[in-house]
Amino acid sequence: ALHITGAKEQDLFNSLYSRIGIDYKKRDTLMKQVFALKGDTVKVNPEKKRLLAIVRQLDYSDDSLRKAFIHQHLNSYIALNELDYLKNQYNRDTLQKMYNSLLSKYRDNHYAKVIEIYLRVGDPLTTGNNYTDFSGQDRNGNMHKLSEIRNKYILLDFSATWCGPCMKSVQEIKDLLTQYPDKLSVVT
């Protein structure tokens, strides 16, 4: 395996990824096993549920290591990259304080600019805000409009199976659907 050393940023990168790289390999192996299993949901396949629980534990451990790294090395390009990846896991006030504490030379970095824009986007939508209707296909190829869902709150979930935080949210979304079956619809 190639191992580059010398520059401060490279050494920081090596330090972080030597700790989380092992979990990446384990996670990839587990996700291959999950995708190889038959049955679309964890209710149909308990083995899938067991494997995804292990993936969630790995993701949590990975995120904890990344967060500790960010707090220890905030004024570095590697930490900014990680902060961009995990920005949704911080509340706005904390993220703003972190951004404000960046040295000026790091604020011109691509990831710092993404965080700055993220902080400036504005307030979340509230009850009564308008939305733009759109159409999309379900897994059977049938077209649906968002406006077809009536008298329920709509949770739009934009996720991917390769996204650790996305996979961590699956159980939370299922729990919400169980808790509010007549009040909530999830579009994913």
Side-chain angles (χ1 to χ4, degrees), residues 32 36 64 78 81 99 108 146 150 154 163 179-180 183:
K32 286 177 186 173
S64 296
I78 306 302
N81 178 29
Y99 178 81
D108 289 333
L146 189 62
R150 299 212 177 265
I154 301 170
C163 169
Q179 190 174 357
Y180 304 105
K183 296 180 180 180

Side-chain angles (χ1 to χ4, degrees), residues 1-152:
L2 180 63
H3 184 76
I4 301 171
T5 61
K8 176 189 172 207
E9 291 292 330
Q10 185 65 51
D11 291 344
L12 288 173
F13 176 88
N14 292 345
S15 168
L16 175 62
Y17 282 88
S18 68
R19 290 182 270 167
I20 64 176
I22 296 164
D23 286 348
Y24 277 149
K25 291 175 185 174
K26 288 179 189 174
R27 187 183 198 288
D28 285 347
T29 300
L30 290 168
M31 289 308 294
K32 286 177 186 173
Q33 292 173 23
V34 167
F35 292 130
L37 293 172
K38 303 290 184 213
D40 194 33
T41 66
V42 292
K43 289 181 183 176
V44 174
N45 194 321
E47 178 64 3
K48 186 179 275 190
K49 182 177 184 177
R50 185 187 74 77
L51 291 171
L52 288 174
I54 296 169
V55 168
R56 279 192 298 277
Q57 289 173 343
L58 289 172
D59 289 343
Y60 179 80
S61 172
D62 177 67
D63 288 353
S64 296
L65 288 170
R66 288 173 188 258
K67 285 179 178 180
F69 181 87
I70 290 166
H71 289 288
Q72 192 173 13
H73 303 285
L74 180 60
N75 280 292
S76 73
Y77 298 112
I78 306 302
L80 286 173
N81 178 29
E82 298 303 320
L83 184 58
D84 176 43
Y85 177 73
L86 295 175
K87 65 184 173 282
N88 294 325
Q89 294 190 23
Y90 291 92
N91 68 48
R92 281 179 102 74
D93 290 339
T94 301
L95 194 57
Q96 185 68 60
K97 287 176 186 172
M98 293 168 83
Y99 178 81
N100 291 345
S101 68
L102 291 174
L103 298 174
S104 60
K105 78 176 195 175
Y106 292 104
R107 288 190 187 195
D108 289 333
N109 174 277
H110 165 76
Y111 298 110
K113 290 180 184 287
V114 169
I115 293 165
E116 178 189 22
I117 291 168
Y118 176 82
L119 288 166
R120 283 190 293 137
V121 164
D123 295 325
L125 296 174
T126 59
T127 302
N129 287 131
N130 292 328
Y131 70 92
T132 302
D133 200 15
F134 64 91
S135 298
Q137 281 185 332
D138 64 19
R139 61 174 61 157
N140 297 320
N142 301 315
M143 294 298 291
H144 298 279
K145 284 187 166 192
L146 189 62
S147 59
E148 293 173 12
I149 302 170
R150 299 212 177 265
N151 301 318
K152 286 187 173 187

